[in-house]
Amino acid sequence: MRLFSRSFFLGSIVLMTACSKKDDMPPVPTGPVTQQEINNWVLDSMRYFYLWNDQLPTNPNTSLETIPFFTGIKYSEDRFSLLYNPEDPATYATDIRSKYGIDYSIINWPQRPEGAIGVIKLVAPGSYAAAAGLKRGSYFTRINGTSLTAANAATLSEQLRTATTGTITPATVSGATITENTAVLLQGRPVTPNPVYTSTLINGATRKTGYLFYNAFIDAYNTSLLDVFRNFKSQGITELIIDIRYNTGGSLAAAAMLTALIAPDVTDQSVFVQYSGNNRLGSRTLSFATSLSVPENADPISFSTLASARLNLPRIFLLTGSQTVSAAELLVNNLKPYTKVIQIGETTVGKDKGAVLIKDMRSPRRIPWVIQPLTYRLSNADGNGNYTHGIAPQYAVDEMSQQPLLPLGDANDPLVAKALSVIAGNVRAAAESNNSHHHFYDAGRQAAANSMVIIPR
């Protein structure tokens, strides 16, 4: 077994701190690194950690380039395992949101001769897009100067994703009149904004209701999340709506913390997550205390520290979407043993497995590549998991059914409005959707299908 370090992830959820495996370490080779040496290192690592290690080919062609080799040995149903070279940005799995700080859909729009229009769903604070004045609910008609249609939406978006810069052309919509404005230049600017975008009390609700838009599980902002819950508790809320419709996951510690802040009857030794691996790695169970003790790039917050902010709610409203993935799905699933979960929106991505991060730690390092193979199946305290096809909501609502999009937390947003309707006792059919706005392209959904493994920094 070649020397490597490993860090455990649930998609992008950190499970354990890094450690090194030094048993059976062969001598460090000398001379230039060969393609066969790289691929043998990849194969060794996969045979030890990969969830489907029994499906790996016996004698794969190790003369192939690294990425085709990795792709060729993966299990056919594996959507999420990654391999990349930190020294070569071209090997990274990038998406439009992480590159430009915007998220959008392209939908049917009969008022345009081309029949389609772009809708901005989310703009990251601190991004060039935000500085340019783009915001949730903004419309646009062109990408890189080319007018949007149903036929070219995916192609133009892929061009935008793979380029270093690009433009979109904002448009003002007034009834049937669409006026194009000056094109906006999009430039990549890595930003990690506080994932607590909005927290507020919703005016007009029949019960005192809090709303939180939470966009990623990032341990560096756990104290901000704790402050939000202390504020909710001091204001005496009895209902809570947490909006994770665009949440792409993050840290296990943050997920455990949020679960404990919501649910009643949870102790430090209560089970938060169970995971099972291949015939080499077996199964593990993590308590809340253990999960909280392994934050990524932040100081741990103890279970006892949460006491002043815990709401002990008998039910929770979770707003989900086609981008809700990884740690966000874990929140949905792992709250269920402890409180009633009322899920509203769209079915989640379906990432019910965790991964490990593998690097060559020899000195000098021979292999520059990093592997992140799926390694564990995940389940909650009751042993329930297996949501490969996503977690379906009790109330299916398409946010695009109402235009223009309203600000996050607005009581008239379709997902928030459905939650308030349930809170008021005005419950109708359990499945409600409006397909008047067909999605030709959804930037975030495409990213979720491709990788959706985003390690918080």
Side-chain angles (χ1 to χ4, degrees), residues 105-400:
S105 289
I106 298 171
I107 64 173
N108 177 55
W109 201 265
Q111 294 91 332
R112 287 193 77 219
E114 296 86 347
I117 199 167
V119 181
I120 301 291
K121 299 187 297 185
L122 194 68
V123 179
S127 64
Y128 280 110
L134 295 178
K135 59 183 181 179
R136 174 174 167 82
S138 296
Y139 294 106
F140 63 97
T141 53
R142 298 174 184 269
I143 293 178
N144 293 333
T146 301
S147 192
L148 292 169
T149 68
N152 68 19
T155 300
L156 292 177
S157 293
E158 180 63 9
Q159 291 173 0
L160 188 64
R161 184 189 72 81
T162 56
T164 55
T165 63
T167 64
I168 63 173
T169 303
T172 302
V173 175
S174 179
T177 302
I178 300 173
T179 304
E180 290 187 335
N181 302 312
T182 303
V184 170
L185 177 65
L186 298 177
Q187 301 182 66
R189 173 192 283 175
V191 293
T192 307
N194 188 332
V196 179
Y197 281 28
T198 303
S199 62
T200 187
L201 291 183
I202 297 181
N203 294 326
T206 55
R207 293 166 58 85
K208 188 169 283 190
T209 301
Y211 169 88
L212 167 65
F213 180 86
Y214 187 60
N215 205 40
F217 293 78
I218 304 176
D219 289 324
Y221 295 102
N222 281 353
T223 54
S224 294
L225 185 62
L226 190 58
D227 288 341
V228 167
F229 273 77
R230 286 189 178 121
N231 184 50
F232 281 152
K233 187 166 185 175
S234 69
Q235 295 186 73
I237 70 165
T238 57
E239 303 282 1
L240 179 60
I241 301 168
I242 298 184
D243 196 336
I244 51 173
R245 71 182 85 177
Y246 311 128
N247 191 306
T248 54
S251 158
L252 176 75
M257 175 176 160
L258 184 53
T259 302
L261 288 171
I262 295 165
D265 303 323
V266 168
T267 71
D268 60 341
Q269 295 306 308
S270 296
V271 173
F272 176 57
V273 64
Q274 302 182 66
Y275 53 102
S276 58
N278 60 33
N279 55 352
R280 290 178 181 267
L281 300 182
S283 300
R284 289 173 174 266
T285 297
L286 294 184
S287 67
F288 280 87
T290 301
S291 301
L292 288 166
S293 70
V294 287
E296 183 183 9
N297 300 324
D299 293 330
I301 295 177
S302 68
F303 187 88
S304 60
T305 302
L306 307 182
S308 63
R310 293 188 61 200
L311 298 180
N312 299 303
L313 295 172
R315 66 178 180 180
I316 181 70
F317 292 84
L318 298 178
L319 310 185
T320 65
S322 60
Q323 296 162 246
T324 305
V325 68
S326 190
E329 292 177 289
L330 191 78
L331 177 74
V332 177
N333 189 57
N334 288 29
L335 272 167
K336 291 179 178 179
Y338 298 109
T339 192
K340 181 178 181 180
V341 173
I342 301 174
Q343 184 183 344
I344 298 168
E346 295 181 276
T347 299
T348 64
V349 172
K351 191 169 189 179
D352 61 348
K353 298 174 181 68
V356 298
L357 189 69
I358 303 171
K359 299 178 181 180
D360 179 5
M361 294 298 288
R362 291 171 296 187
S363 182
R365 176 174 293 169
R366 299 272 302 172
I367 312 295
W369 294 85
V370 175
I371 320 171
Q372 195 167 309
L374 293 184
T375 308
Y376 293 108
R377 292 182 174 89
L378 310 177
S379 59
N380 61 25
D382 291 337
N384 296 324
N386 193 28
Y387 43 90
T388 303
H389 300 293
I391 306 173
Q394 292 97 319
Y395 301 95
V397 181
D398 179 4
E399 70 172 338
M400 292 294 165

Side-chain angles (χ1 to χ4, degrees), residues 35-40 42-43 47 56-73:
Q35 189 62 58
Q36 186 173 40
E37 181 185 344
I38 294 172
N39 289 343
N40 281 334
V42 170
L43 186 60
R47 283 175 173 161
L56 292 169
T58 304
N59 295 301
N61 182 0
T62 56
S63 67
L64 296 174
E65 292 296 321
T66 308
I67 291 177
F69 175 78
F70 181 72
T71 301
I73 66 174

Side-chain angles (χ1 to χ4, degrees), residues 42-50 52-60 70 72-75:
V42 170
L43 186 60
D44 273 354
S45 302
M46 295 288 277
R47 283 175 173 161
Y48 189 88
F49 288 107
Y50 196 40
W52 298 283
N53 63 351
D54 58 346
Q55 300 296 315
L56 292 169
T58 304
N59 295 301
F70 181 72
I73 66 174
K74 284 195 305 181
Y75 181 53

